Amino acid sequence: MVLHLHRAPRTDLLADALGELLATPPDDPFATELVLVPARGVERWLSQRLSHVLGTSPTGTDGVCAGVEFRFPRSLVAEIT
């Protein structure tokens, strides 16, 4: 498992960069990407924002955000330790 930490002064910039990063699908069609979020509201906002970028249509405007697992940092630390 590789950990990449991205920072930006605004959350919309982070969301757009994440959308670009996730736009290329992984080799395994059943693989999921793990994204850590601080709260459920951020999870909902981010999944809605990503749904405008990700999807099956060439333009990505079909409103689908699949293959992304949102978790809290505490649950990841608990799983690792």
Side-chain angles (χ1 to χ4, degrees):
M1 175 188 282
V2 178
L3 175 68
H4 295 279
L5 179 63
H6 298 269
R7 296 175 19 161
R10 296 180 5 211
T11 54
D12 59 334
L13 297 176
L14 280 174
D16 293 342
L18 180 61
E20 291 175 13
L21 184 66
L22 297 177
T24 24
D27 295 333
D28 182 8
F30 297 107
T32 59
E33 295 287 346
L34 178 64
V35 177
L36 298 180
V37 293
R40 292 271 182 224
V42 175
E43 174 185 347
R44 182 174 294 169
W45 173 81
L46 187 56
S47 65
Q48 290 173 354
R49 183 143 180 131
L50 288 175
S51 70
H52 295 289
V53 178
L54 307 176
T56 56
S57 69
T59 59
T61 57
D62 53 0
V64 175
C65 177
V68 180
E69 178 184 356
F70 295 100
R71 295 190 40 196
F72 299 116
R74 178 178 286 174
S75 68
L76 182 65
V77 170
E79 183 178 323
I80 291 173
T81 58

